[in-house]
Amino acid sequence: MVMALVVLLFAALLQAGIVIHTRNVMIDAASAGARYGALADRHPGDGVERAREVLAASAPGQSGAAITAETTSQGGVPIVRVTVSSSLPGVGFLPGPVPLTVSGHAYRH
């Protein structure tokens, strides 16, 4: 009976670890894309491609994520925002897909 509880607890921790890892990889991809798209000789579309490359190399199964880029301003300073949206399949205790949306920002040079 105790073994069943330990297995259940381990499975819950494993699922939480997978979700947190994938979220961190998505944040890194969005930030890298925003920094690349904000360079003087680049445009935000280049940031989308960089984010897609980082995401495909770091998180298997996330190559189909929706990635968008836009140029906005914050306090009169132009910034590039790259947004990555995806979902994780429900495994274990999490029913259905788990939606994740993150964004990265960088000042435009």
Side-chain angles (χ1 to χ4, degrees):
M1 196 148 79
V2 172
M3 187 63 164
L5 183 61
V6 170
V7 169
L8 191 67
L9 187 60
F10 177 74
L13 287 174
L14 185 65
Q15 180 64 35
I18 290 170
V19 170
I20 290 170
H21 171 72
T22 304
R23 180 181 154 272
N24 288 343
V25 167
M26 289 172 62
I27 289 171
D28 180 52
S31 297
R35 286 190 300 269
Y36 190 73
L39 294 174
D41 59 341
R42 304 286 178 204
H43 56 84
D46 293 332
V48 170
E49 291 305 315
R50 176 60 61 100
R52 192 172 310 283
E53 290 171 6
V54 170
L55 193 60
S58 302
Q62 295 299 318
S63 59
I67 303 173
T68 60
E70 62 181 343
T71 303
T72 61
S73 67
Q74 184 176 9
V77 178
I79 62 170
V80 174
R81 176 184 297 133
V82 174
T83 304
V84 179
S85 298
S86 185
S87 61
L88 295 174
V91 177
F93 305 106
L94 300 174
V98 178
L100 294 173
T101 301
V102 298
S103 62
H105 305 83
Y107 289 107
R108 186 140 177 95
H109 297 280

